[in-house]
């Protein structure tokens, strides 16, 4: 079956905001939802229930996950967003339509919000058509949410012409305005890939509050450790309107990285404590971090955490054009190496046995024209001392490179380093003259450590390698466009993020890589 090529989106964020006012929405929903009367909770939900916005994610050809979390008072001390804890079960209604005005509603349903998941809901809407744009909104009581736009994946095997997506990571809210998201929300995107560090766990005080004009309650002053604290941290970051807008314009595929729990954690080993002794304390912290992550991100039910465990790695097909492998490079990794011998040990793994087996099998079986390996941490070699990245797991990297070499047009998409990097990926990581296997595009942070600068003290670590074609330390994201001929990547940045959210969007550099001819070519 041949899919209709994607057309330029007619979605206008501004037009939607006008439409989503309660009066217009209430009339439409009141007429269309006869069950509305008996579903109204006995005690009304306080005003502002949808102050954290809406989102969609995990798109498949026939389904998508919608998300919202009822939080009339997002920073209420107990982490419950100002929601009453009784009644414990509150019906939330959703509608999915072909059009922004909801004249043509194609799916409608109800889900229950409850305190167990901080009143987050993740309805999975099935029976949708492939490669199609849809609009959605929620209702609770008489309150109507803002409208979101989403898009299903093209039909499996469909010969689609283009795929347009952005990659983003590292949103350290207290050190930057999310100006990058303000601009991303104006782009025409099929998909947004988020590559980890959705929150940061550090205490927020006057010393690190670089985001001018922001004030933060004293309850945020400590490093977060409890479920309530993780929930409050998500609420704080999620209150950003530009982040909400970026969620509302396209479906997200989201993976996590260390700061979604604690800095540089790996597997059962936290940032403090003896290396070989998994700490009961840290396992608990990982469990509450994973739970709050699920509560605040549009993940499907299958990705919900069970105590300290959650399977979030999976692949997605965008027709026959691309297969995306969303990796979890945190939960199953071996401990940091004690010495060089351990670092280079053959059996060492960053993905864990099961995920690595799954990845090799999925790559091997893929019929996709492009194979996009989405990793929380950077894969190309930088220095041996960067043991938190794939550099700490050279044997695992060699294994994946071998499989990638036998795959059509592999591309690595990663984040974590708070810098924009573009690099050729070499067949032999320790031999810069070996052939190119593919390319790696590392997105910078949405916001961290203030404005940043093009070059900084870490630049030489990267630029010493001839295969590194770009290094830049400012804030932004990468906008990618795939066709069967080529991948183009625009490295976007905003000149400043501390003072306010008004910085214009600029381009650091544009690269292309041709299908069948791996290697980056700078186009301007
Ligand atoms: Fe980060
Ligand atoms: Ca990270």
């Amino acid at each position: 079956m041949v899919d209709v090529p994607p057309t330029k989106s007619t979605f206008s964020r501004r037009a939607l905001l006008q439409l989503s006012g309660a009066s217009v929405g209430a009339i439409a929903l009141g007429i269309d939802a006869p069950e509305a009367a008996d579903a109204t909770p006995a005690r009304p939900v306080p005003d502002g229930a949808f102050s954290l916005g809406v989102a969609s994610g995990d798109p498949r050809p026939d389904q998508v996950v919608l998300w919202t979390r009822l939080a009339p008072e997002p920073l209420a001390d107990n982490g419950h967003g100002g929601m009453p804890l009784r009644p414990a079960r509150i019906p939330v209604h959703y509608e999915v339509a072909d059009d922004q005005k909801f004249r043509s509603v194609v799916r409608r349903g109800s889900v229950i919000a409850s305190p167990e998941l901080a009143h987050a809901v993740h309805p999975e809407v099935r029976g949708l058509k492939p490669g199609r744009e849809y609009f959605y909104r929620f209702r609770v009581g008489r309150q109507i949410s803002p409208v979101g736009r989403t898009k299903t994946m093209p039909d499996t095997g469909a010969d689609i012409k283009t795929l347009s997506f952005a990659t983003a990571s590292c949103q350290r809210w207290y050190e930057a305005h999310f100006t990058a998201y303000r601009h991303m929300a104006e782009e025409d995107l099929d998909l947004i890939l988020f590559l980890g560090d959705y929150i940061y766990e550090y205490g927020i005080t006057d010393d690190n509050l670089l985001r001018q004009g922001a004030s933060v309650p004293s309850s945020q002053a400590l490093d977060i450790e409890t479920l309530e604290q993780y929930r409050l941290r998500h609420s704080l970051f999620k209150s950003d309107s530009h982040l909400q807008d970026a969620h509302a314009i396209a479906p997200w595929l989201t993976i996590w990285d260390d700061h979604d729990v604690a800095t540089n954690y790996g597997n059962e080993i936290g940032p403090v404590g003896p290396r070989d002794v998994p700490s009961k304390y840290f396992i608990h912290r990982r469990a509450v971090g994973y739970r709050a992550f699920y509560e605040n991100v549009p993940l499907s039910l299958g990705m919900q955490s069970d105590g300290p465990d959650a399977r979030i790695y999976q692949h997605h097909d965008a027709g026959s054009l691309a297969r995306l492998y969303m990796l979890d490079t945190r939960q199953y990794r071996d401990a940091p190496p004690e010495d060089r011998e351990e670092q280079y040990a053959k059996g060492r793994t960053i993905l864990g046995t099961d995920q690595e087996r799954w990845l090799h099998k999925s790559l091997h079986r893929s019929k996709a024209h492009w194979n996009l390996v989405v990793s929380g941490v950077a894969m190309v070699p930088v220095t041996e001392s960067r043991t938190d990245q794939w550099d700490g797991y050279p044997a695992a990297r060699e294994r994946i490179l071998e499989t990638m070499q036998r795959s059509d047009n592999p591309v690595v998409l990663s984040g974590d380093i708070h810098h924009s990097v573009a690099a050729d990926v070499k067949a032999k990581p320790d031999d810069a003259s070996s052939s190119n296997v593919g390319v790696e595009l590392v997105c910078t942070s949405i916001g961290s450590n203030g404005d940043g600068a093009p070059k900084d003290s870490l630049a030489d670590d990267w630029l010493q390698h001839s295969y590194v074609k770009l290094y830049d330390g400012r804030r932004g994201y990468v906008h990618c466009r795939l066709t069967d001929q080529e991948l183009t990547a625009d490295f976007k940045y905003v000149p400043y993020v501390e003072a306010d959210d008004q910085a214009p969007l600029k381009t650091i550099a544009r690269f292309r890589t041709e299908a069948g001819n791996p290697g980056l070519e700078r186009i301007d």
Side-chain angles (χ1 to χ4, degrees):
M1 189 182 145
V2 175
D3 198 68
V4 183
T7 50
K8 170 95 182 145
S9 167
T10 54
F11 179 82
S12 153
R13 182 74 202 149
R14 258 171 238 106
L16 276 183
L17 288 173
Q18 283 158 16
L19 277 172
S20 63
S23 57
V24 178
I27 292 163
L29 271 176
I31 292 166
D32 292 342
E35 80 281 20
D38 44 284
T40 302
R43 197 183 317 168
V45 172
D47 285 351
F50 297 107
S51 66
L52 299 181
V54 298
S56 71
D58 210 5
R60 303 282 175 182
D62 60 343
Q63 72 177 68
V64 70
V65 178
L66 306 181
W67 173 94
T68 193
R69 189 183 140 209
L70 306 179
E73 199 191 319
L75 299 181
D77 275 348
N78 66 357
H80 281 282
M83 285 297 289
L85 302 184
R86 293 277 177 275
R89 294 167 64 79
I90 295 175
V92 179
H93 310 278
Y94 61 87
E95 284 185 326
V96 178
D98 284 327
D99 64 310
Q100 300 179 35
K101 296 185 176 175
F102 291 82
R103 290 198 177 113
S104 168
V105 172
V106 297
R107 283 285 176 278
R108 181 177 284 141
S110 300
V111 276
I112 296 295
S114 65
E116 285 76 24
L117 287 175
H119 295 95
V121 292
H122 301 71
E124 296 184 6
V125 183
R126 300 200 168 79
L128 301 176
K129 293 190 175 131
R132 285 274 291 271
E133 182 179 74
Y134 290 101
F135 300 88
Y136 62 92
R137 63 185 175 188
F138 294 91
R139 177 176 63 78
V140 65
R142 299 179 62 83
Q143 299 183 58
I144 310 288
S145 76
V147 173
R149 172 215 180 234
T150 192
K151 202 167 175 190
T152 48
M153 280 294 203
D155 218 355
T156 311
D159 179 21
I160 57 160
K161 300 293 175 240
T162 65
L163 185 74
S164 179
F165 61 91
T167 65
S169 75
C170 298
Q171 43 188 40
R172 199 181 290 181
W173 180 94
Y174 50 88
E175 292 182 350
H177 289 272
F178 287 176
T179 318
Y181 279 137
R182 181 163 73 83
H183 294 291
M184 194 190 293
E186 297 294 324
E187 304 247 28
D188 181 20
L189 299 169
D190 297 313
L191 203 55
I192 291 171
L193 307 180
F194 188 82
L195 311 186
D197 293 353
Y198 198 86
I199 57 162
Y200 282 79
E201 79 281 19
Y202 301 120
I204 307 172
T205 62
D206 285 348
D207 294 338
N208 59 10
L209 186 59
L210 306 180
R211 182 183 174 120
Q212 289 175 31
S215 61
V216 172
S218 57
S219 54
Q220 299 276 350
L222 298 174
D223 288 7
I224 55 176
E225 297 173 287
T226 66
L227 180 57
E228 290 68 30
Q229 289 173 324
Y230 276 93
R231 283 172 168 167
L232 281 169
R233 188 56 60 89
H234 274 279
S235 295
L236 179 67
F237 286 24
K238 205 94 192 181
S239 65
D240 187 281
S241 68
H242 303 317
L243 170 61
Q244 292 184 16
D245 286 351
H247 271 297
I249 59 131
W252 285 38
L253 289 176
T254 309
I255 54 174
W256 52 40
D257 196 32
D258 54 335
H259 291 288
D260 294 300
V261 179
T263 185
N264 287 356
Y265 91 88
N267 205 318
E268 300 185 340
I269 298 168
V272 289
R275 160 184 180 282
D276 290 326
V277 185
S279 129
K280 276 184 189 163
Y281 157 77
F282 180 72
I283 301 293
H284 173 77
R285 195 174 180 191
R286 189 175 104 175
V288 297
Y290 285 5
R291 178 149 158 200
F293 187 86
Y294 175 77
E295 289 171 352
N296 287 281
V297 172
L299 302 179
S300 57
L301 188 64
M303 295 154 94
Q304 189 175 358
S305 57
D306 178 6
D309 305 309
R311 178 175 164 163
I312 63 158
Y313 65 85
Q314 54 174 344
H315 74 246
H316 288 262
D317 287 318
S320 59
L321 186 62
R323 176 171 277 193
L324 296 112
Y325 308 83
M326 307 301 295
L327 303 185
D328 180 345
T329 49
R330 282 290 154 198
Q331 193 177 172
Y332 316 104
R333 57 164 63 192
D334 283 338
E338 256 181 356
D339 52 32
R340 209 166 174 278
E341 192 188 339
E342 188 180 348
Q343 188 165 351
Y344 284 85
K346 283 236 174 319
R348 205 167 150 71
T349 176
I350 185 171
L351 297 177
T353 316
D354 291 352
Q355 183 179 200
E356 189 169 325
R357 196 179 297 132
W358 160 84
L359 176 61
H360 285 271
K361 204 199 269 178
S362 308
L363 270 165
H364 184 68
R365 290 181 178 168
S366 169
K367 295 191 174 70
H369 195 54
W370 294 90
N371 286 285
L372 311 179
V373 176
V374 183
S375 168
V377 289
M379 193 181 286
V380 289
V382 193
T383 65
E384 280 186 338
S385 59
R386 286 187 173 250
T387 57
D388 190 61
Q389 299 173 194
W390 284 81
D391 272 339
Y393 305 82
R397 178 167 58 199
E398 269 178 49
R399 292 193 293 273
I400 170 100
L401 287 177
E402 242 179 71
T403 303
M404 280 167 54
Q405 220 169 347
R406 285 181 268 116
S407 310
D408 281 352
N409 301 310
V411 171
V412 181
L413 302 169
S414 61
D416 175 56
I417 57 170
H418 303 196
H419 295 87
S420 298
V421 165
D424 291 337
V425 175
K426 294 288 171 184
K428 296 200 182 78
D430 51 358
D431 179 2
S433 67
S434 62
S435 60
N436 290 340
V437 173
V439 302
E440 178 162 356
L441 309 171
V442 192
C443 64
T444 182
S445 61
I446 289 292
S448 61
N449 199 23
D451 299 339
K455 294 283 171 287
D456 54 27
S457 60
L458 301 173
D460 288 346
D461 281 1
W462 292 84
L463 291 170
Q464 64 175 318
H465 303 292
S466 58
Y467 48 80
V468 173
K469 308 296 183 190
L470 174 76
Y471 176 92
D472 189 285
R474 290 169 291 187
R475 313 294 156 233
Y477 59 93
V478 188
H479 183 179
C480 297
R481 188 167 172 276
L482 264 186
T483 68
D484 56 358
Q485 309 279 311
E486 63 178 17
L487 165 66
T488 53
D490 295 8
F491 284 82
K492 301 289 194 183
Y493 79 99
V494 286
Y496 59 90
V497 291
E498 288 182 49
D500 58 40
D501 62 355
Q502 294 303 302
L505 185 67
K506 304 212 169 193
T507 303
I508 307 164
R510 303 185 68 214
F511 290 90
R512 71 189 279 270
T513 181
E514 229 183 317
N517 182 24
L520 291 167
E521 180 195 337
R522 189 160 175 164
I523 42 184
D524 59 32

